[in-house]
Amino acid sequence: MATIQKEINLKNKKAEFEYFLTQRYEAGIVLVGTEIKAIREGKANLVDAYCRFKKEELYVFNMHIGKFSKGTHYNHDPFQLRKLLLTKRELKKLMAKVREKGNTIIPTRLFISDRGLAKLEIALAHGKRQYDKRKSIKEKDVRREMDRNYKTD
């Protein structure tokens, strides 16, 4: 009996509001068994997550993956560090960019690939100032208003 798997696509909605996203990368994540099961249940949160280098490896911090509902005492720690899997070339490029002032790496989307693997889309980001955020809100409102007017005509 085949089970129907719902599509998992969790987004960090706060990321585009808080940062200018310049480059995006798709990275694999090293997970334990109960973590992937909890992700498939949709129990993950990217809101306060960020990425940082330890030695020459990239890790994601503050990514919350809730406990698996059917897990026993072998269940995982919800906020543990998780290693990201990228090529050496991508890691070197990201490391050089992060050393520049104001750049950081943040996760923007967590999804399950066609092969059933958990993937994390990360982006090289530069923080927005308060007036940039107001400008983004204004542009979004104008775009929404134009869409409304277009649909009513």
Side-chain angles (χ1 to χ4, degrees):
M1 211 163 97
T3 59
I4 298 173
Q5 183 179 356
K6 67 176 184 174
E7 187 173 320
I8 302 298
N9 190 5
L10 305 167
K11 292 183 181 178
N12 185 354
K13 295 175 184 172
K14 192 174 161 186
E16 288 192 33
F17 181 71
E18 297 284 333
Y19 300 96
F20 292 113
L21 304 178
T22 55
Q23 294 176 324
R24 294 178 189 258
Y25 297 92
E26 193 175 292
I29 318 170
V30 177
L31 298 171
V32 295
T34 56
E35 288 176 324
I36 188 66
K37 291 176 182 179
I39 288 173
R40 288 193 175 121
E41 285 182 345
K43 294 182 178 180
N45 189 352
L46 299 173
V47 174
D48 293 327
Y50 61 95
C51 301
R52 190 172 276 165
F53 282 96
K54 274 189 154 186
K55 298 186 182 175
E56 294 192 6
E57 296 177 335
L58 189 63
Y59 290 89
V60 63
F61 291 78
N62 282 353
M63 184 171 85
H64 181 268
I65 298 177
K67 293 197 179 273
F68 179 53
S69 60
K70 297 178 180 110
T72 60
H73 60 280
Y74 293 112
N75 231 333
H76 62 277
D77 178 28
F79 284 103
Q80 72 184 16
L81 293 181
R82 293 169 182 95
K83 183 178 173 181
L84 297 180
L85 304 172
L86 290 162
T87 63
K88 280 187 180 181
R89 182 181 298 145
E90 289 173 332
L91 286 172
K92 285 181 182 179
K93 195 182 294 185
L94 280 171
M95 198 178 301
K97 293 284 188 179
V98 167
R99 287 189 181 129
E100 295 174 14
K101 188 176 183 204
N103 286 336
T104 188
I105 304 169
I106 55 168
T108 56
R109 189 169 70 112
L110 177 67
F111 62 99
I112 304 291
S113 71
D114 297 336
R115 292 177 43 202
L117 304 173
K119 298 284 185 173
L120 188 67
E121 182 181 276
I122 59 174
L124 187 64
H126 189 78
K128 285 185 180 179
R129 302 222 191 272
Q130 188 65 35
Y131 56 84
D132 292 327
K133 293 177 189 177
R134 285 193 291 263
K135 185 178 176 186
S136 296
I137 292 171
K138 187 175 181 180
E139 289 172 356
K140 191 172 164 183
D141 289 342
V142 168
R143 202 175 315 119
R144 188 180 303 128
E145 191 64 35
M146 286 175 61
D147 287 344
R148 276 191 205 135
N149 291 338
Y150 180 73
K151 288 178 183 176
T152 58
D153 291 343

